[in-house]
Amino acid sequence: MHAEIVDRIQPTLTRWDHPFTSGPFTPNYVEYNATELEVIGTIPPRLDGVYLRNTQNPVHAPLGTHHAFDGDGMLHLLSFHQGRCEYRNRFLRTKAFEQEQAAGQGLYAGLIDKPGIARHPGWGARGGLKDTSATDVIVHAGSALTTFYQCGEPYRFDARTLQPLGVSAWGKDVLRHNGISAHPKVCPRTGDLLFFNYGKDAPYMHYGEVDSQDRLVHYVPVPLPGPRLPHDMVLTEHFAILNDFPLHWEEALLEQGRHKLVYDEAKPARFAVVPRRHAPQTGVVWFEASPTYVLHWLNAWEEGDEIVMHGYHQKWPMPRAGFDNQGGTLGPERYGPTLYEWRLHLRTGAVVERRLHERYLEFGQVNARYWGRPYRYSYNMIAHPDSFLFDGIARYDHTTGAMQEYLFGEGRFGSESPMAPALGAVQEDDGYVVSFVTDMQADRSECLVLDARDVAAGPVARIMLPHRISSGTHACWAGAEDIRSSANT
């Protein structure tokens, strides 16, 4: 292995006893470029593109109480080409990150702090927060785009080198409505980026589209009855589907500057079917379903007069007795996420729903070429019982109901594991599943490459990284054809 240290960041965070600043979540402060990585097995030559993962990685001591989602952003990258690979990691040098680096201390309140303790007014739908851009990462218009779940600016990075490319020019047009939230989607047929944002001022939510040249071409309000907490969205050929769930801030307390989650199971889950820019602009149509909360969606498509949606239905959206809301208990026992299907009938307004499987799963991915169209396979993360960690990958066949799984092993925790279509692939599952794994027993991290058709067989390649990286969540795969980079070969 040849590992070059690019930079070291000096933290002011000195307490390591918090569950999300210690153990598998210990932050990284060294930025690397690494080549000639040790490989156990063989890197498939048909694997050509990049695996990117975003991570919460706190640098400065919190002003108040640290929450799992307060950390600064860090991208980890493994770039594949012709059976070889390179690794890089970089802090996301957002405006807020640079402000705190210049000050040598934290300036922003955390998610569960009172905004009044902040030394800077802050950003986002909640207000007072630091726009870390540390939630999600996707590739659109040839470069990597990172986003913040409480809304922020659209930051761009070279998808092979992680060189910062600044904020997309259209960011200023939507920043007045808090910017862009996680999780935008890229249509595999048009190259358009579909996104939403939300906040505490009417109309409370907007929907937008950015074309394949990174130009804002569509932006409309999606009025809600009050402030809500949407997290994800889904698309079909003609529609984007947004949501209004009965888990949100208590409106009476917002007037006092307080943010308290409430769940009203007497209210339905509501889905907004919003026409995409190229579809007839018939207005937003709302559908009602049984109450729940969906943190992440898998896919959706149109089937005759119906829209079919797959996502992770939560049995208990609010923490039950013995569980906290500070990040200490974020495992599946806290909220009970299972694979679920909703069918929205566009002509009658009826909604039919069913549970697809009882296994607790979340953070799933499909072959992204099948976003917005019928698909068969999903690759879901098997959650650790009592923490925000992943123990393995479950491939689910949505046609037969068959499930095969691969467990990382004792003390080994993975990342969201996208499906990477192989070069020349024709079949949906011709490709690989890729995941960063942090091994607490061996004190190292590696990248696993598994055959997407047979994940239970284990990795075809294990690629050793130059350091043990913090466990993280959201990740993506982008093929070489989707990347415009100075490092492209």
Side-chain angles (χ1 to χ4, degrees), residues 174-471:
V174 299
L175 193 59
R176 65 186 185 277
H177 300 127
N178 298 307
I180 176 174
S181 178
H183 297 275
K185 298 290 187 290
V186 176
C187 176
R189 288 164 294 285
T190 66
D192 288 349
L193 177 82
L194 284 59
F195 74 91
F196 69 96
N197 55 33
Y198 64 98
K200 293 185 285 188
D201 299 314
Y204 305 110
M205 185 161 64
H206 292 79
Y207 166 72
E209 298 184 24
V210 178
D211 70 11
S212 60
Q213 302 303 309
D214 203 30
R215 299 172 300 199
L216 182 67
V217 291
H218 188 62
Y219 191 62
V220 295
V222 182
L224 295 171
R228 296 295 187 263
L229 290 172
H231 186 71
D232 197 3
M233 63 175 292
V234 72
L235 66 96
T236 69
E237 181 181 357
H238 297 100
F239 302 102
I241 298 91
L242 309 182
N243 55 70
D244 171 12
F245 292 121
L247 176 74
H248 51 74
W249 290 310
E250 187 171 332
E251 293 183 50
L253 295 179
L254 286 180
E255 298 176 2
Q256 306 171 27
R258 299 168 59 191
H259 297 78
K260 179 184 177 182
L261 277 180
V262 292
Y263 177 62
D264 186 353
E265 59 185 10
K267 293 181 179 178
R270 301 200 311 144
F271 303 113
V273 176
V274 186
R276 291 178 56 182
R277 68 180 175 108
H278 61 265
Q281 297 302 297
T282 54
V284 178
V285 178
W286 287 93
F287 291 80
E288 294 188 354
S290 61
T292 188
Y293 188 83
V294 177
L295 190 64
H296 299 117
W297 294 98
L298 262 178
N299 203 4
W301 67 95
E302 297 165 34
E303 194 172 284
D305 288 331
E306 290 183 314
I307 291 176
V308 187
M309 305 189 301
H310 288 172
Y312 301 96
H313 173 283
Q314 295 184 5
K315 294 182 177 180
W316 313 288
M318 278 294 283
R320 295 175 295 152
F323 294 86
D324 66 54
N325 197 37
Q326 300 182 13
T329 50
L330 288 171
E333 302 294 337
R334 175 193 181 274
Y335 53 100
T338 60
L339 282 170
Y340 205 81
E341 179 181 274
W342 294 260
R343 287 180 170 266
L344 316 181
H345 200 287
L346 295 171
R347 191 164 43 84
T348 67
V351 177
V352 177
E353 46 191 300
R354 66 183 177 116
R355 199 174 307 280
L356 300 178
H357 203 281
E358 286 291 341
R359 183 77 182 270
Y360 289 165
L361 301 168
E362 245 284 8
F363 288 85
Q365 298 243 356
V366 304
N367 182 333
R369 295 176 182 175
Y370 287 77
W371 269 352
R373 56 185 284 201
Y375 74 114
R376 180 169 178 174
Y377 305 102
S378 61
Y379 302 88
N380 310 269
M381 302 313 298
I382 300 170
H384 193 64
D386 59 0
S387 190
F388 207 41
L389 296 165
F390 302 141
D391 287 340
I393 303 168
R395 167 185 145 130
Y396 184 67
D397 185 328
H398 291 257
T399 298
T400 67
M403 183 176 289
Q404 55 172 275
E405 59 185 57
Y406 172 74
L407 298 178
F408 300 124
E410 186 68 27
R412 289 167 56 88
F413 306 107
S415 308
E416 192 172 43
S417 305
M419 191 277 185
L423 285 174
V426 176
Q427 300 298 319
E428 178 186 346
D429 61 345
D430 183 8
Y432 304 92
V433 177
V434 190
S435 188
F436 285 130
V437 169
T438 292
D439 189 326
M440 295 303 296
Q441 296 184 350
D443 192 27
R444 68 184 182 196
S445 289
E446 58 193 81
C447 181
L448 304 185
V449 179
L450 300 98
D451 186 330
R453 290 174 167 166
D454 190 9
V455 299
V460 299
R462 297 172 55 198
I463 305 159
M464 303 303 154
L465 305 186
H467 56 164
R468 194 186 87 194
I469 66 174
S470 170
S471 189

